[in-house]
């Protein structure tokens, strides 16, 4: 049996292993004393900061690695820790702004640990340059914005096809979209759902391209067969939009925007919980805008008459929360007859 390794020898081996790990680490490792002076600087730190070890060892971290405008904050944080022992940054990964030898600044991730905190503590900071990662993330975000903008422009082009075929409803979808999205904001829905409601309303009548133009523009009261034909636009809109993998439920909004809570709507006769909340909002906006706009088969009604109608049917046909929100908007001065909407600009202005 071989004799046991002496304790002092074990410590030497551990120290050698630790040194080897620090020297070979991919992250920058900067060791500091309780005065904030650098006492060790590994090769990865040399690469990140552009200093040789001998250029920084013995110098204050704030002098060499911290931008001038952030030095006082760094020194205050160190002083607070030494005075109170409160570990505001110890053991936490955080994003910082650091400075290279050439005075350029860069974003970095840092995690600090302390050794012997009750005596004279030594701090070891593990630092990673994340400037390339942040640049890539920024490029990906810009790409996503570009794709989204193209998608929105496509949706707007689809919306205009309905207005070209049906000049009597020119602007109808845009006004419904504005009112529906404004109600969604007042209901404090998440931004993604507000966008979906806005865009769904912009093309909620896309199915009308399957309806003969003579029905859409016929003066006088519509015949029963005309009404039955007109009702197909919900299903046709769904069939047009469903194959497209939108990030919003646009096809369902088109399909359900004439459904009523009591099942008396069309085309599916859905009841209450089966009707998408987005479609309930678009439904109320659609009714209010339609009633207050002139049609070849009937004159326009006043906004007071339209609000009275949706109030009479709240809870039976229309969602009561949506109706209350709609009434409140108009009582606070909302005007649907003045909407001249630039849809892309509206989306860009939303928080």
């Amino acid at each position: 049996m071989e004799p046991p390794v002496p304790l002092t020898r074990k410590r030497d081996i551990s120290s050698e292993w630790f040194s080897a790990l620090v020297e070979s680490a991919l992250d920058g490792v900067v060791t500091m004393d309780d005065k904030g002076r650098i006492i060790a600087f590994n090769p990865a730190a040399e690469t990140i900061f552009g200093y040789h070890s001998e250029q920084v060892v013995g110098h204050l971290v704030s002098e060499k690695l911290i931008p001038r405008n952030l030095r006082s904050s760094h020194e205050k944080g160190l002083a607070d820790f030494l005075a109170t022992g409160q570990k505001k940054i110890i053991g936490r990964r955080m994003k910082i702004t650091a400075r290279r030898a050439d005075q350029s600044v860069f974003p970095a991730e840092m995690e600090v640990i302390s050794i012997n905190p009750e005596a004279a503590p030594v701090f070891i900071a593990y630092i990673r340059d994340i400037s390339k990662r942040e640049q890539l993330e920024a490029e990906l975000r810009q790409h996503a914005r570009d794709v989204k903008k193209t998608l929105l422009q496509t949706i707007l082009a689809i919306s205009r096809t309905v207005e070209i075929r049906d000049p009597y409803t020119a602007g109808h979808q845009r006004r419904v979209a504005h009112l529906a999205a404004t109600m969604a904001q007042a209901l404090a829905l998440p931004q993604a759902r507000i966008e979906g409601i806005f865009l769904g309303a912009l093309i909620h009548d896309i199915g009308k391209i399957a309806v003969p133009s003579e029905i859409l523009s016929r003066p006088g009261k519509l015949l029963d067969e005309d009404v039955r034909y007109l009702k197909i636009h919900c299903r046709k809109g769904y069939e047009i939009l469903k194959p497209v993998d939108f990030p919003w439920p646009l096809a369902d909004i088109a399909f359900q925007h004439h459904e009523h809570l009591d099942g008396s709507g069309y085309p599916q006769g859905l009841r209450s919980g089966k009707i998408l909340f987005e479609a309930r909002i678009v439904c109320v906006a659609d009714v209010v805008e339609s009633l207050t706009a002139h049609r070849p088969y009937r004159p326009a009604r006043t906004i007071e008459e339209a609000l009275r109608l949706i109030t009479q049917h709240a809870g039976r046909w229309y969602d009561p929360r949506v109706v209350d929100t709609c009434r409140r908007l108009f009582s606070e001065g909302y005007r649907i007859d003045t909407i001249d909407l630039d849809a892309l600009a509206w989306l860009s202005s939303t928080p």
Side-chain angles (χ1 to χ4, degrees):
M1 179 182 291
E2 295 185 5
V5 178
L7 183 58
T8 54
R9 177 59 178 153
K10 288 181 179 179
R11 288 173 178 168
D12 290 342
I13 293 173
S14 298
S15 178
E16 290 172 6
W17 272 105
F18 178 74
S19 297
L21 285 171
V22 169
E23 291 297 302
S24 61
L26 297 178
D27 288 343
V29 181
V30 181
T31 307
M32 302 158 280
D33 64 16
D34 62 334
K35 300 294 190 294
R37 291 177 300 212
I38 299 170
I39 56 179
F41 204 70
N42 79 334
E46 292 181 331
T47 301
I48 291 171
F49 289 97
Y51 286 111
H52 290 296
S53 177
E54 60 270 17
Q55 292 177 290
V56 294
V57 169
H59 292 268
L60 293 173
V61 169
S62 59
E63 176 190 346
K64 290 291 187 178
L65 311 182
I66 307 295
R68 289 183 181 277
N69 61 319
L70 300 176
R71 287 180 185 177
S72 60
S73 176
H74 166 80
E75 292 168 352
K76 183 179 183 300
L78 176 61
D80 286 347
F81 172 74
L82 294 173
T84 66
Q86 294 180 357
K87 302 178 180 180
K88 292 184 179 180
I89 67 169
I90 305 300
R92 289 177 51 220
R93 180 171 296 179
M94 65 188 69
K95 180 182 172 182
I96 63 167
T97 301
R99 180 170 63 92
R100 300 185 182 92
D102 63 4
Q103 307 303 306
S104 62
V105 297
F106 65 97
E109 280 184 348
M110 179 183 73
E111 187 171 352
V112 180
I113 63 172
S114 63
I115 303 173
N116 299 326
E118 294 180 359
V122 172
F123 302 96
I124 301 177
Y126 298 89
I127 300 170
R128 180 176 301 172
D129 184 345
I130 60 171
S131 52
K132 290 183 179 178
R133 187 180 80 189
E134 290 212 335
Q135 180 182 356
L136 176 60
E137 290 174 350
E139 291 172 355
L140 289 173
R141 286 193 297 271
Q142 183 58 50
H143 176 69
R145 285 193 291 268
D146 292 343
V147 170
K148 184 177 180 181
K149 183 177 179 180
T150 300
L151 180 58
L152 298 179
Q153 290 171 332
T154 302
I155 292 172
L156 288 172
I158 294 171
S159 176
R160 293 189 184 107
T161 62
V162 178
E163 296 183 355
I164 290 172
R165 290 196 71 248
D166 185 9
Y168 287 101
T169 61
H172 164 69
Q173 293 186 116
R174 281 176 283 138
R175 289 189 291 272
V176 171
H178 191 279
L179 176 56
T182 304
M183 286 193 288
Q185 286 178 321
L187 287 161
L189 295 186
Q191 182 60 27
R193 293 188 74 182
I194 295 172
E195 289 181 355
I197 289 166
F198 180 79
L199 295 170
L202 269 180
I203 53 175
H204 72 278
D205 277 340
I206 182 62
K208 284 186 177 180
I209 63 174
V211 178
S213 57
E214 59 268 23
I215 293 177
L216 296 174
S217 58
R218 178 174 294 165
K221 185 176 180 180
L222 292 176
L223 302 175
D224 289 343
E225 56 266 32
D226 294 338
V227 174
R228 285 195 296 272
Y229 211 105
L230 188 60
K231 286 182 177 181
I232 72 169
H233 80 279
C234 297
R235 188 175 297 277
K236 290 298 181 182
Y238 178 79
E239 292 171 358
I240 292 168
L241 298 173
K242 185 60 179 176
V244 183
D245 188 20
F246 292 111
W248 312 278
L250 307 191
D252 288 322
I253 290 172
F255 205 8
Q256 299 178 13
H257 74 277
H258 279 295
E259 300 288 356
H260 293 160
L261 297 182
D262 64 359
S264 64
Y266 65 88
Q268 303 175 84
L270 299 179
R271 288 180 175 271
S272 193
K274 298 288 187 180
I275 305 172
L276 197 70
F277 191 58
E278 285 87 340
R280 301 185 196 192
I281 293 174
V282 173
C283 175
V284 170
D286 185 38
V287 169
V288 171
E289 199 289 328
S290 297
L291 289 175
T292 55
H294 173 75
R295 293 291 185 268
Y297 47 84
R298 60 149 177 82
R301 299 191 188 183
T302 66
I303 186 61
E304 290 76 19
E305 290 174 319
L307 295 176
R308 193 179 307 122
L309 185 144
I310 63 171
T311 301
Q312 289 171 353
H313 295 290
R316 189 159 62 92
W317 289 0
Y318 312 123
D319 188 292
R321 279 199 302 158
V322 178
V323 170
D324 289 344
T325 301
C326 185
R327 287 172 54 85
R328 186 174 71 252
L329 287 176
F330 281 96
S331 70
E332 294 171 353
Y334 185 88
R335 292 283 302 276
I336 199 170
D337 57 342
T338 60
I339 300 302
D340 183 16
L341 183 63
D342 179 340
L344 285 176
W346 187 90
L347 283 171
S348 299
S349 67
T350 55

